[in-house]
Amino acid sequence: RRLARHSDPATSHEAAVKTVSFRARHEALILDALRQHGPMTAHEIAAVTRLTDVQINRRGKKMQERPLVTIGPEVRDGCRVWRAL
């Protein structure tokens, strides 16, 4: 999947390349947190990892597809619960 269009400026292409390393780092932080602390919501993961809820939730779909985690159906404090597989 292309992360930048051909017409985008060079800075956008540079940022797109960096997302690969961000993704891997964020996934590792999320998995480590879940393995150390057990099932947690995105808010709880954020408190442990210092990632934002947005950064965490962006990883959810791909991490479920791989499968590294399950998300839901359990809900706590209005948020779905993540579990490491």
Side-chain angles (χ1 to χ4, degrees):
R1 185 179 94 163
R2 285 189 358 219
L3 299 175
R5 295 179 296 261
H6 291 291
S7 59
D8 286 346
T11 54
S12 293
H13 290 274
E14 291 167 13
V17 170
K18 290 179 182 178
T19 62
V20 174
S21 65
F22 287 141
R23 182 178 352 140
R25 182 177 163 271
H26 293 175
E27 287 180 358
L29 288 169
I30 293 165
L31 281 175
D32 286 345
L34 292 170
R35 288 179 179 143
Q36 288 180 7
H37 302 282
M40 295 190 288
T41 67
H43 294 299
E44 294 164 342
I45 297 168
V48 171
T49 63
R50 296 180 143 183
L51 295 172
T52 67
D53 294 357
V54 172
Q55 290 170 315
I56 294 162
N57 285 317
R58 281 185 183 154
R59 305 292 162 240
K61 184 176 179 180
K62 290 288 184 188
M63 291 181 77
Q64 286 184 98
E65 288 173 356
R66 289 180 51 200
L68 300 171
V69 299
T70 60
I71 304 173
E74 182 185 349
V75 174
R76 184 166 54 232
D77 297 328
C79 299
R80 293 177 299 158
V81 175
W82 293 51
R83 293 179 188 280
L85 295 177

